[in-house]
Amino acid sequence: MGRIPCCEKDNVKRGQWTPEEDNKLSSYIAQHGTRNWRLIPKNAGLQRCGKSCRLRWTNYLRPDLKHGQFSDAEEHTIVKLHSVVGNRWSLIAAQLPGRTDNDVKNHWNTKLKRKLSGMGIDPVTHKPFSHLMAEIATTLATPQVANLAEAALGCFKDEMLHLLTKKRIDFQLLQCNTNGVQGNASSPYIATKHDENNDTIERITLGFSRAMQEPGILPPNKTWDSTGATSANFAGTCAYLPSSVNAFLCGPSSFGNEVALSPWSQSMCTGSTCTAGDQQGRLHEKLDHENGEESQGGKEIRNGSSFFNTDCVLWDLPSDDLMNSIV
DNA sequence: AACGCCTACAACCGCAGGTTA
DNA sequence: TTAACCTGCGGTTGTAGGCGT
């Protein structure tokens, strides 16, 4: 037996609500409350599904709702909580008075996700891309390394290409400034966007291959800096890549001033996953001692498609503190 | 001015779990 | 006990408006 529909689809209006409908719904709820959503549209004289009325009320008409821009503090809270509970929008919204789960979800999908990506942080795991890439690299045998770039692009292609197209100047700088590893300083970089992307993919592939095949290519204790990281074989790859790609592969520390110096990113990146030095240390530790295996003490909370390593202290607060404040 | 692209956000859909008769 | 119903949730889609070309 199939589930019955919540309403007669034929007799209900869909799409944008009119001010008249809003008035009818608001005044009805003001008088009778929100019991039994199925009856509300009928009693309020609305040709709407009860579910539609409920959504309209909870997401838009409720008098206690806050409309307008999210403040920095609110964004900060969302990112922090998301790093702990994942896409539990209702849980996150409950910590933000006047905001609905839909508000939070939309704001995350349209702004915050991209903001984190732009800072070199994977919005799903809240780890730097470099960290994830290093983990991928350590799980592959050397013969497989040729596939690594493809795998990486599968994960981060959109973000990479987005940045590549925004930061074309980096290519030109690379051509002029590299010491002959890849670029040809004598020939100006002229290419279509398509060529640029394909070329970048080739560069990444080559960079990964070289880094994996030549473990001693960089001094073992060289500190993480703006030209590349040395924590893993993978990280040496950064030295061969355009700075815009470095930004993704090597984390926030390799970004230009535009991102790295913004108050937002600085305030957001107070935790170990975002601080280059500490990040490198942890990465070293992880790579040296765990060799790519799952941390034995690392408790993973799986939640749908995302998971969070609670050993990884994010932002300023340990995950447990966040969870305790919520639960 | 027209067009296409992008962004932000409202709204819808389907599922899961709780409640009720 | 269980089917019917209600509500909440997260994912996805639709669309209006802004912007650049």
Side-chain angles (χ1 to χ4, degrees):
Chain A
M1 185 172 67
R3 184 183 172 80
I4 62 161
C6 66
C7 53
E8 295 291 333
K9 303 275 183 197
D10 293 340
N11 296 330
V12 297
K13 195 179 160 209
R14 297 174 59 188
Q16 294 284 307
W17 280 66
T18 64
E20 292 76 34
E21 288 177 312
D22 283 346
N23 284 338
K24 279 185 183 176
L25 183 59
S26 294
S27 54
Y28 180 86
I29 288 175
Q31 287 183 341
H32 303 93
T34 59
R35 286 172 54 100
N36 201 336
W37 284 107
R38 189 171 285 223
L39 292 177
I40 285 177
K42 196 181 292 179
N43 294 343
L46 290 162
Q47 282 193 310
R48 291 278 183 175
C49 168
K51 201 170 176 178
S52 176
C53 292
R54 178 170 54 82
L55 277 174
R56 184 63 180 171
W57 174 255
T58 55
N59 288 337
Y60 194 80
L61 294 176
R62 249 170 52 200
D64 58 323
L65 287 184
K66 211 189 275 182
H67 296 284
Q69 296 276 310
F70 278 73
S71 67
D72 284 350
E74 286 176 316
E75 291 192 338
H76 209 132
T77 301
I78 293 170
V79 174
K80 275 186 178 178
L81 294 177
H82 187 273
S83 72
V84 180
V85 302
N87 294 1
R88 304 279 297 278
W89 306 118
S90 55
L91 242 176
I92 296 172
Q95 309 301 311
L96 299 168
R99 302 294 188 182
T100 69
D101 53 351
N102 211 33
D103 283 339
V104 173
K105 181 173 58 182
N106 282 332
H107 193 64
W108 173 265
N109 285 329
T110 58
K111 294 228 184 109
L112 296 181
K113 216 159 82 172
R114 192 169 307 155
K115 219 165 183 177
L116 286 182
S117 291
M119 290 161 59
I121 298 166
D122 174 37
V124 176
T125 63
H126 291 255
K127 293 178 181 178
F129 286 133
S130 58
H131 197 142
L132 298 172
M133 296 298 296
E135 287 176 356
I136 294 170
T138 59
T139 64
L140 294 178
T142 304
Q144 293 176 289
V145 79
N147 298 325
L148 181 56
E150 194 181 337
L153 287 169
C155 297
F156 310 129
K157 181 180 62 188
D158 290 347
E159 286 80 1
M160 279 188 177
L161 295 183
H162 182 73
L163 250 201
L164 289 171
T165 55
K166 299 271 182 197
K167 295 200 166 191
R168 182 173 173 165
I169 187 73
D170 289 342
F171 275 100
Q172 294 163 339
L173 289 173
L174 178 88
Q175 296 299 314
C176 298
N177 296 337
T178 55
N179 53 8
V181 175
Q182 285 275 320
N184 178 357
S186 64
S187 61
Y189 186 77
I190 302 171
T192 64
K193 196 173 282 183
H194 179 72
D195 291 340
E196 193 173 272
N197 294 342
N198 286 338
D199 186 45
T200 302
I201 292 168
E202 286 175 19
R203 284 162 191 268
I204 294 169
T205 308
L206 179 61
F208 276 122
S209 299
R210 291 190 62 151
M212 292 298 282
Q213 286 162 12
E214 301 174 43
I217 202 150
L218 288 166
N221 295 320
K222 186 172 179 290
T223 54
W224 184 295
D225 61 22
S226 63
T227 59
T230 63
S231 306
N233 292 339
F234 141 77
T237 306
C238 297
Y240 298 119
L241 297 174
S243 57
S244 53
V245 177
N246 273 346
F248 277 104
L249 302 183
C250 302
S253 65
S254 59
F255 264 75
N257 290 348
E258 174 199 346
V259 171
L261 298 182
S262 78
W264 195 88
S265 64
Q266 283 185 335
S267 70
M268 300 303 269
C269 283
T270 54
S272 63
T273 56
C274 301
T275 307
D278 193 6
Q279 170 185 307
Q280 183 201 8
R282 284 178 179 248
L283 201 51
H284 255 305
E285 208 175 287
K286 194 174 181 67
L287 293 168
D288 291 345
H289 301 317
E290 297 170 20
N291 197 24
E293 292 173 9
E294 200 63 58
S295 167
Q296 291 192 351
K299 298 168 287 180
E300 277 192 354
I301 302 171
R302 289 198 174 271
N303 174 26
S305 59
S306 60
F307 66 89
F308 304 93
N309 187 326
T310 56
D311 271 357
C312 188
V313 180
L314 290 149
W315 316 114
D316 322 86
L317 285 172
S319 317
D320 287 348
D321 288 356
L322 285 164
M323 286 304 285
N324 289 338
S325 72
I326 297 167
V327 179

